[in-house]
Amino acid sequence: MSAGSRLLNAVERVGNRLPDPVFLFLWLIGGLVALSLVGAGLGWSAVNPVTGDRLVAQSLLSAENLERLIIGMPRTLADFPPLGIVITIIYGASVAERTGLFATAIRGALLNAPRAILTPVVVITGMVSHHASDASYVVVIPLAAVIFAAAGRHPLAGLAAGFAAVSGGYAGNLFPGASDALILGITEPAARLIDPSYSVNIAGNWFFIIGVVVVFTPIVWFLTDRVIEPRLGRWTPSEGVAAPATSEKQPLTASEKRGLSWAGLALLGMIGLWTLITLLPGSPFVDPEAVAEQKFNPLYRSLVAFFAVTFFVLGGAYGAGSGSIQSHRDLVKMMRDGIAQLAPYIVLAFFAAHFVAMFNWSGLGPILAVNAAAELKTLALPAPLLLICVVLVSCVFDLFIGSASAKWSALAPVVVPMFMLLGISPEMTTAAYRMGDSVTNIATPLMSYFPLILTFAQRWDPRFGLGSLMATMLPYAGAFLVAGLAMVAAWVAFDLPVGPGVGVYYEPPVPAVAAQEPVTGGLAGPHSPPQAAARP
């Protein structure tokens, strides 16, 4: 057995022994309680260089913290930032998905793609399909194989390109969506451990995720056409291989085209409406008193509502045009079904919310961040190298824990404040994490959708095994890792904007403004760091 095979087998054995993310958070909470006892007993402390306040470790078994944990349990869950954001977007996205809008739009894009540019169309469609959440795995990937076969190309090459785009390019997109809301929603409370006034919005990584699409698309195009497909050889159907479903390769019907037309008009209407509201005098989306780079922050924060309402309106327009909606009751049922599918995430969110809140109450997050930042400053490492470390740590964690939000909930309370103290913005740190979280998805059999992708592949070649799929995807993962590291380093080196009004570097507010009397409430509770005045 080769060294590579032994390594993969070891990764699989270790990964299979890890508990469900829910119990992983329970273990983390148990370890956090023990660490808080040690920290409080030894008098761990630090001085927040932003607010000037002295941070002291607090025992999570103190009377105050136990009261906060038990009595405030419902509020702790309700105040978990990602939960409300994700649920809000899902109300609209579930309508767009269940009316068939997402699937039809994806199918239409792939069916009409010219053979010469079939691969990049599959890649871009796969990355944009992240707005359809997990539906992208069960729509884009098998459909890419069908379209490649219909064009006379190897279907497994299409499947590989689709898998690389949907999963390996998970950090990429042309527009912010639910995944941005989820991850950046975790970033904000972590940033407020150091700067209580800091605000993160859904557009915080917008320019970076577009950059991922620009960088990764030619990589997948080259590897698919010049490496993967030649390696697979000429495809001939094996005996007993079932033909693809007729509906997968049929052109769009008249009702589907009508639905897409209505949805397109609805999209133009929504963009026009949002633009009109923004341009009107006294617009709630514009802060005239803010500095130029923060003037449109209210508009960026409105994007959660914009995407939720837009998905709802587009889904309703498509459903009315295509006939997939017969009455308003269908819309309500679709929203209910969408929320029902969130049940696993809501269960996980309960434990993640309490871990994040308890980490905040203990005071260990900013203490560890301040002390770790001080140690790193003595090493004088350049910012690109620091963020490359974030990418690599994220890659390693991704081999064992599939959930991006679960990993970030555990890492963010330390990593984000630490890098803020080193002058790196929370949004840039988040972007580096997301890059690392994406690239190894396609190379590990522990990834939750890996068995499903293998099933899709065996539909075309029954002899195609787990090792075959891993060997096919490893070139993409390796190239993504190299390109991702280079992209993060270049982003920092050239100080490119990460999103609208958001740069690579972080400049703390004036301490006199940041430091005020502590207030009761919020996720952190009455013993949180002092709350600052809102940013102008």
Side-chain angles (χ1 to χ4, degrees):
M1 183 181 295
S2 67
S5 298
R6 288 196 297 269
L7 176 61
L8 291 174
N9 289 339
V11 169
E12 185 171 8
R13 285 194 302 272
V14 172
N16 286 337
R17 291 175 183 172
L18 287 175
D20 185 273
V22 166
F23 275 83
L24 190 63
F25 272 108
L26 282 174
W27 287 8
L28 289 172
I29 289 172
L32 179 62
V33 171
L35 191 62
S36 73
L37 290 172
V38 174
L42 296 178
W44 290 352
S45 64
V47 175
N48 187 329
V50 174
T51 64
D53 298 301
R54 187 165 188 81
L55 308 168
V56 180
Q58 303 289 329
S59 169
L60 289 173
L61 296 184
S62 67
E64 291 175 319
N65 279 331
L66 285 175
E67 178 182 357
R68 187 184 311 169
L69 173 64
I70 303 303
I71 297 177
M73 191 171 285
R75 183 178 180 181
T76 299
L77 175 62
D79 286 344
F80 189 47
L83 185 62
I85 294 172
V86 171
I87 289 177
T88 299
I89 289 183
I90 289 298
Y91 276 123
S94 60
V95 173
E97 180 182 345
R98 282 164 174 74
T99 56
L101 170 61
F102 285 149
T104 303
I106 292 168
R107 194 166 116 247
L110 295 181
L111 283 171
N112 296 324
R115 190 181 190 278
I117 59 170
L118 182 57
T119 303
V121 170
V122 166
V123 176
I124 295 173
T125 302
M127 293 189 187
V128 174
S129 71
H130 296 149
H131 291 309
S133 188
D134 290 353
S136 57
Y137 283 92
V138 296
V139 175
V140 175
I141 297 174
L143 185 58
V146 173
I147 302 304
F148 264 59
R153 300 182 60 180
H154 202 299
L156 293 181
L159 180 139
F163 189 22
V166 171
S167 193
Y170 194 71
N173 214 317
L174 296 180
F175 303 98
S179 60
D180 297 85
L182 174 60
I183 297 300
L184 290 166
I186 296 170
T187 300
E188 182 171 275
R192 288 183 174 180
L193 291 173
I194 289 296
D195 182 354
S197 69
Y198 204 87
S199 177
V200 178
N201 66 76
I202 191 177
N205 282 167
W206 195 343
F207 299 157
F208 187 86
I209 64 177
I210 292 176
V212 173
V213 176
V214 173
V215 172
F216 279 20
T217 297
I219 291 175
V220 180
W221 191 356
F222 175 82
L223 288 176
T224 302
D225 292 5
R226 300 298 181 88
V227 178
I228 302 301
E229 194 164 14
R231 179 179 177 273
L232 291 170
R234 184 178 178 83
W235 178 73
T236 54
S238 303
E239 185 177 350
V241 173
T246 304
S247 60
E248 288 181 338
K249 53 185 180 181
Q250 276 186 344
L252 300 183
T253 64
S255 61
E256 289 173 333
K257 291 180 180 179
R258 183 170 59 252
L260 288 178
S261 298
W262 288 24
L265 293 174
L267 177 60
L268 293 176
M270 286 300 302
I271 294 174
L273 175 62
W274 235 252
T275 303
L276 178 63
I277 296 176
T278 304
L279 296 178
L280 285 175
S283 169
F285 294 164
V286 180
D287 184 356
E289 299 180 359
V291 295
E293 59 269 18
Q294 296 179 359
K295 186 176 181 180
F296 291 100
N297 273 354
L299 174 64
Y300 306 143
R301 288 196 293 270
S302 77
L303 288 176
V304 172
F306 172 76
F307 281 109
V309 175
T310 299
F311 284 145
F312 179 86
V313 172
L314 266 61
Y318 174 84
S322 65
S324 59
I325 292 179
Q326 301 299 323
S327 73
H328 70 280
R329 301 182 191 280
D330 293 334
L331 289 172
V332 176
K333 183 178 184 302
M334 290 172 183
M335 287 189 286
R336 284 202 305 259
D337 291 343
I339 295 298
Q341 279 200 332
L342 278 183
Y345 171 71
I346 294 174
V347 172
L348 176 64
F350 176 83
F351 296 93
H354 281 82
F355 171 78
V356 172
M358 293 172 72
F359 204 94
N360 198 347
W361 302 336
S362 71
L364 293 175
I367 292 172
L368 291 173
V370 169
N371 292 327
E375 292 296 325
L376 283 175
K377 281 182 180 178
T378 63
L379 298 177
L381 295 175
L385 185 57
L386 291 172
L387 287 169
I388 282 175
C389 292
V390 175
V391 176
L392 294 175
V393 168
S394 178
C395 284
V396 173
F397 274 45
D398 195 45
L399 292 173
F400 305 101
I401 307 172
S403 171
S405 59
K407 291 192 295 291
W408 193 228
S409 294
L411 290 172
V414 173
V415 176
V416 170
M418 180 174 68
F419 277 76
M420 289 175 71
L421 295 174
L422 294 171
I424 303 296
S425 71
E427 290 84 357
M428 187 65 232
T429 305
T430 305
Y433 163 77
R434 295 176 70 180
M435 180 64 79
D437 175 64
S438 297
V439 298
T440 49
N441 275 335
I442 54 179
T444 170
L446 304 179
M447 186 261 190
S448 57
Y449 282 99
F450 210 84
L452 177 65
I453 307 306
L454 181 60
T455 301
F456 290 152
Q458 290 175 341
R459 174 184 183 182
W460 299 96
D461 184 355
R463 298 167 298 177
F464 201 80
L466 181 65
S468 303
L469 182 56
M470 295 182 68
T472 300
M473 301 311 298
L474 276 174
Y476 294 109
F480 285 172
L481 178 58
V482 173
L485 293 174
M487 181 176 166
V488 169
W491 216 275
V492 177
F494 293 103
D495 192 14
L496 301 176
V498 188
V502 179
V504 169
Y505 297 102
Y506 165 74
E507 295 182 5
V510 179
V513 175
Q516 291 186 355
E517 289 299 316
V519 297
T520 300
L523 181 62
H527 293 284
S528 63
Q531 302 296 307
R535 283 178 180 266

